Amino acid sequence: MSDAGGKDGGGRDGGQRLTRGRGDARTLGARLSEKLARIGYATPLHNRKLRGRPPLKLLGTPADPIAGDAVAGREIAAGKLGFGGHVEAIRTLNFATARAPLAWREWVHGFEWLRDLAAASDRKKGAIVAELVVEAWLASYRDYDELAWRADLAGRRLMFWPLYAPYILSRSEPIYRSLVLNHLARAARHVDRAQDKMPEGLPRVEAAAGLLAAGLILPEGAARSVRAESALRKALEDVLLPGGGVASRRPSDALALLERLLTLRAFYEARKMDVSPVVAEAIESLASGVKGLTLGDGRLAAIHGGNVCAPERIAKALALVGGNVRPTRNGAASGFQRMDAGKTVIVVDAGPPPAKDTASGAHAGTLALEMSDGDARMIVNCGGAEGAGVPLPDALAGLLRTTAAHSTLVVNDTNSTRLLGGGGLGKGVGEVVVTRHESEEGCWLDATHDGYAKRFGVIHRRRIFLAADGRDIRGEDALEPARVTRLLGRRRALPFDVRFHLAPGVEATPTADGKGALVKLAAGRVWQMKVRGGRLTVDESIFVDESGKHRGVAQVVISGETEDGGATVNWSFKRASK
């Protein structure tokens, strides 16, 4: 699949046919091998393989380039480890008796929370808290545990313990220091053997990245670094898409991966070594992808469960990349299209849902768009549960996954791709075909998806035009008879809705004739909306922000019914103020 027009579209025409992948193609034998490996890790034989000379010191102290959350850090500094709604007191922490949920245990085992602690506490005070947790952790998990020593979580420790060595190795007590350094050495040997048994995706990347960090910062790690670079290259091939997208198609996952690789880069810098091309090239690609998915308010598009993320976090990551990061516009492989002109930015989810094994929590929002005017978002999707500051109720998280929670067309109040329990996706959109054209007049996007073809015999086609000055947006949503409908002559009326969810603070006032609306942003800027081919109403909606809080917003809905197997709705937004 080629990127017609490259990063910037290049003004070229070109149809792109994106099909939904099959996901993790591991054989039953590979899955069985992984299970047997986990059993073997708990044996005395594996424990003996982890023996070796404990390091006397680290070869450097990398500086973490990513800032932590000071609010979360103050809670940790106050003696509470809280995540996902569960809290444990540090003074009485006993991992053997704690009955914490899985998400909390994964969070604690990875020790990424040290970043938050450091954001809220100096080394002297933070070390008291950090060493209490490390000491309690080592008392319970000095030897292999299936969860605590899982390769991705062990990989995080291999990264975050050295990053915050001043916090966890401040005391001069030799026995404690030896235990910490010895665990790093044993964990590195374990991850060296276990990382390729991890499922393909971000967990395998985390394991390989941690192993590479260990190779760079622990003595006698040259050979390990070579193996780890090779492992990281293979792991990234399964995750990173051309143009900076990721297999999960979740923008916040791309940002998290960018931050992880920027953190890994700090280990090279601490050793005054050239950064591996594997790491450097992935950083450059991800930065372009993340910038392409960032709207004018500095936040990410909320797609496939990803949170919009704080703008400061995104800006810091892009600044760390250095140079002039160019956004990916024509995401032929990632399935995202960015249209920007003047002060207007539009991001369209123009790809099929992620493959089965990378689709946990993914949404049924194919061909949904988000739009911003300057530094204010105007059209949104309702948001995502992943990465929110607080856990969302199951009912709300499920609602956010529906097609109706996205700014796109919905047929018969039915999801374009079936939503399954446990965050999975069923049958629905299998193919998206996209054509993009740019000229002096502006940018045209023409995309179709087949999510309703088998169930209702129609194809959804969305056309969008953005004028070169960014002040004129014209769109068309059409339902066209699918091939089977044309052949068999099936015709039945189908109700549909085209939804435009509005950002917080944006108001919509319908015109008297019901064929348009005035859309007013909080800053006072006004857009005039006109429609043809349906009935316009303004209804209530919700939006989940980066903190996980949901608030009431408005949505403009264009409703209609198909005739003779099809329907066409035309809509436009014109900026009516400067």
Side-chain angles (χ1 to χ4, degrees), residues 63 88 117 138 154 158 167-168 209 224 277 302 335 355 376 394 433 450 459 466 502 508 522 578:
E88 291 279 348
L117 176 63
L138 286 170
L158 290 173
Y167 282 76
I168 68 171
R224 178 175 291 140
D394 291 342
V433 180
D450 60 355
I459 299 292
L466 175 62
L502 302 180
K578 293 183 179 180

Side-chain angles (χ1 to χ4, degrees), residues 425-510:
L425 293 177
K427 295 180 179 180
V429 177
E431 181 179 79
V432 177
V433 180
V434 181
T435 301
R436 179 184 179 117
H437 174 66
E438 296 186 50
S439 68
E440 293 181 356
E441 295 179 351
C443 179
W444 291 89
L445 192 69
D446 188 340
T448 64
H449 80 70
D450 60 355
Y452 295 118
K454 291 184 178 179
R455 285 173 288 176
F456 299 118
V458 291
I459 299 292
H460 175 204
R461 183 172 195 170
R462 168 163 272 188
R463 295 185 174 113
I464 304 172
F465 168 75
L466 175 62
D469 62 2
R471 299 172 62 90
D472 183 8
I473 304 169
R474 285 171 253 164
E476 177 183 281
D477 282 287
L479 291 173
E480 301 173 347
R483 184 172 183 272
V484 64
T485 305
R486 295 196 299 270
L487 290 175
L488 299 179
R490 295 176 182 171
R491 296 286 190 272
R492 66 182 176 114
L494 293 168
F496 65 84
D497 299 292
V498 182
R499 300 180 182 272
F500 297 93
H501 299 272
L502 302 180
V506 178
E507 300 175 353
T509 304

Side-chain angles (χ1 to χ4, degrees), residues 351-401:
K356 179 180 178 182
D357 289 341
T358 58
S360 179
H363 290 191
T366 307
L367 298 192
L369 68 86
E370 294 203 0
M371 172 257 181
S372 63
D373 174 9
D375 61 358
R377 197 169 300 206
M378 189 171 96
I379 300 172
V380 298
N381 298 315
C382 290
E386 293 295 323
V390 295
L392 301 182
D394 291 342
L396 176 57
L399 177 65
L400 296 177
R401 300 180 64 209

Side-chain angles (χ1 to χ4, degrees), residues 99-138:
R99 295 293 179 263
L102 175 61
W104 183 90
R105 287 181 286 149
E106 290 178 329
W107 174 75
V108 171
H109 291 324
F111 281 85
E112 191 168 352
W113 52 266
L114 287 168
R115 175 180 279 165
D116 299 332
L117 176 63
S121 177
D122 61 26
R123 171 179 170 176
K124 185 177 180 180
K125 294 179 181 178
I128 296 172
V129 174
E131 289 181 340
L132 281 174
V133 181
V134 171
E135 194 169 38
W137 191 91
L138 286 170

